[in-house]
Amino acid sequence: MRPALAVPPIYAPIPPAVHPNHAEIDARTAAWADAFNIGTPEWRSRLVTQDIGVFAARILPEGQEEVVSLLSDFVIWLFGVDDGYCEEGNLGDKPGELAAALNRLLRIAQNPEAPMLTDDPLAEGLRDLTLRVSRCGTALQAGRWVDTLREYFFAVVWEAEHRATGRVPGLNDYALMRLYDGATSVVQPFLEMGYGFELQSHERDSKAVRAASEMCSFITTWDNDIYSHHKESRGTNYYLNVIRVLEHEYVLSPDQALIRAIAQRDRVMCLFLSLRAKLDDEGSPQMRQYLSNLASFIRATQDWSVSSLRYTTPDDPAALSSHFSDQPTDYSSDPLDIPSISWWWDLVPASRTAPLQQPRAPRRPRRAPQ
């Protein structure tokens, strides 16, 4: 068994926040998982102690409570898919069978009235989630949510292929697929829904906003890999974690790989703050709110990861610092040597890539017409 890596305080320039009704949201999500019979009773009893509702409440700290509860239920559903099908389930190393199962679920998200999988708890839970997404979001947001679900399903099939063959992916491929297999892009439509606005299409589809969204995914998934390394490295099929990937890519020790992973996420964090400042100057109030919500998502992942029993694993304690740093370990303005994401640095002038001391306060947009 690998020795526990001591994770130091990680750079966190974004202020923490949480929805005031986080305890009620967490309790409702536990009841929702029970009502739809998501996972086994033992699995549910374990997961409902992991503050899923608090995580959603940190992502949308000032969001509409109905949407925060919807996001919380969706997150526990995602863990049902991830733990039950992908990582710990019997389809986690069978990419063909996993693809078929996930495509059936995708059909439910596209058409919840489809007469299929009527005795499948995950499908029934997804039916409920789909109807609520349609009620809380615009037609465009509901459609984007289904599209991001497809991206996530496609990426976890890629993961299954690596488990089946026992291969560690290369860093470039891993960075690209981690934008999707970490289930971060499927959360991003809720960043609009939760505050009752819709980004204008010319802003959402712009290269710069897409880059900001991808940077959020990169930072949150690198953080997830760092904080979950202890838990994952004690399981079987340990191939898909940035620490493992960097060890393999550069012939590093686990401690050296951890230092490099932290440096990579710090460099992207500095770039995200600079790009956010640039877009704040240029964009609409809706864009500024969206960028603020991306920042909340990043900080939510950090706060939840250092406190949730999912990662602190008290039965076999992980060596995670409960504090954060106010300084990055790497604030270079040079692109990371990862071709699939290095284009992000082209979007921010070099004069603006110095780390910012404080993120800007968000401006609340008006609710978009439904």
Side-chain angles (χ1 to χ4, degrees):
M1 181 179 293
R2 290 177 166 230
L5 285 181
V7 177
I10 291 180
Y11 180 45
I14 299 161
V18 65
H19 194 283
N21 295 333
H22 58 85
E24 294 89 341
I25 292 164
D26 196 55
R28 285 199 297 268
T29 286
W32 183 87
D34 277 335
F36 283 92
N37 201 30
I38 305 296
T40 65
E42 188 276 332
W43 178 88
R44 286 198 303 278
S45 68
R46 189 164 30 98
L47 205 67
V48 297
T49 67
Q50 296 174 2
D51 296 331
I52 304 300
V54 179
F55 180 39
R58 291 187 183 279
I59 295 172
L60 300 173
E62 298 180 27
Q64 300 168 24
E65 188 168 340
E66 180 182 9
V67 181
V68 183
S69 279
L70 170 58
L71 174 58
S72 179
D73 295 350
F74 179 49
V75 170
I76 206 168
W77 183 88
L78 283 169
F79 280 126
V81 173
D82 196 46
D83 293 350
Y85 276 13
C86 304
E87 288 193 12
E88 300 172 16
N90 58 9
L91 299 181
D93 58 359
K94 299 178 178 67
E97 293 180 41
L98 179 61
L102 294 177
N103 271 288
R104 295 185 198 106
L105 287 177
L106 184 63
R107 175 54 70 181
I108 300 301
Q110 294 169 323
N111 299 94
E113 70 279 3
M116 55 189 292
L117 300 179
T118 54
D119 59 349
D120 185 319
L122 284 173
E124 289 302 297
L126 184 57
R127 281 189 172 90
D128 177 72
L129 294 167
T130 300
L131 294 173
R132 292 160 64 193
V133 165
S134 297
R135 185 171 68 243
C136 293
T138 66
L140 180 60
Q141 289 165 350
R144 285 183 55 240
W145 177 69
V146 174
D147 288 343
T148 56
L149 199 59
R150 182 185 296 107
E151 291 175 344
Y152 166 65
F153 286 168
F154 180 81
V156 296
V157 170
W158 173 85
E159 286 187 329
E161 191 272 335
H162 279 76
R163 292 192 193 95
T165 56
R167 286 189 294 112
V168 177
L171 176 60
N172 186 55
D173 281 349
Y174 187 73
L176 175 60
M177 298 306 288
R178 202 73 177 101
L179 300 178
Y180 308 107
D181 69 11
T184 52
S185 62
V186 293
V187 169
Q188 289 172 3
F190 294 91
L191 304 183
E192 296 175 49
M193 286 183 227
Y195 289 86
F197 71 93
E198 184 176 274
L199 274 180
Q200 300 174 56
S201 59
H202 74 275
E203 290 185 324
R204 178 189 297 106
D205 297 335
S206 71
K207 203 170 185 181
V209 172
R210 178 161 61 90
S213 300
E214 290 187 357
M215 290 177 203
C216 171
S217 292
F218 180 94
I219 296 165
T220 55
T221 54
W222 250 233
D223 283 350
N224 178 260
D225 281 4
I226 290 166
Y227 289 120
S228 69
H229 173 268
H230 181 77
K231 170 180 175 286
E232 292 182 13
S233 64
R234 274 142 174 76
T236 57
N237 296 323
Y238 169 61
Y239 305 108
L240 298 160
N241 182 289
V242 67
I243 306 299
R244 184 73 182 89
V245 169
L246 290 172
E247 288 178 50
H248 187 262
E249 183 93 358
Y250 296 114
V251 194
L252 303 175
S253 70
D255 289 291
Q256 292 170 327
L258 173 63
I259 291 169
R260 184 165 297 200
I262 293 172
Q264 289 173 337
R265 62 85 63 200
D266 283 359
R267 195 185 299 191
V268 175
M269 176 71 90
C270 293
L271 184 67
F272 171 81
L273 295 175
S274 297
L275 179 59
R276 178 185 172 188
K278 178 177 183 291
L279 293 176
D280 273 354
D281 290 342
E282 302 170 355
S284 66
Q286 288 85 358
M287 180 189 282
R288 288 194 288 271
Q289 181 68 57
Y290 182 71
L291 294 166
S292 174
N293 297 348
L294 288 174
S296 293
F297 189 7
I298 291 170
R299 182 58 194 253
T301 300
Q302 290 185 279
D303 286 324
W304 181 62
S305 296
V306 300
S307 60
S308 173
L309 296 180
R310 184 173 182 86
Y311 303 118
T312 58
T313 57
D315 292 339
D316 176 20
L320 308 180
S321 172
S322 60
H323 304 288
F324 299 107
S325 171
D326 60 359
Q327 294 294 323
T329 62
D330 185 338
Y331 47 82
S332 169
S333 60
D334 294 332
L336 290 176
D337 187 20
I338 304 176
S340 59
I341 64 171
S342 59
W343 62 274
W344 294 341
W345 278 262
D346 297 337
L347 302 174
V348 182
S351 61
R352 298 197 64 155
T353 54
L356 304 180
Q357 294 303 311
Q358 291 292 336
R360 299 186 180 191
R363 300 181 193 176
R364 181 67 56 80
R366 295 179 180 178
R367 182 174 178 86
Q370 300 297 310

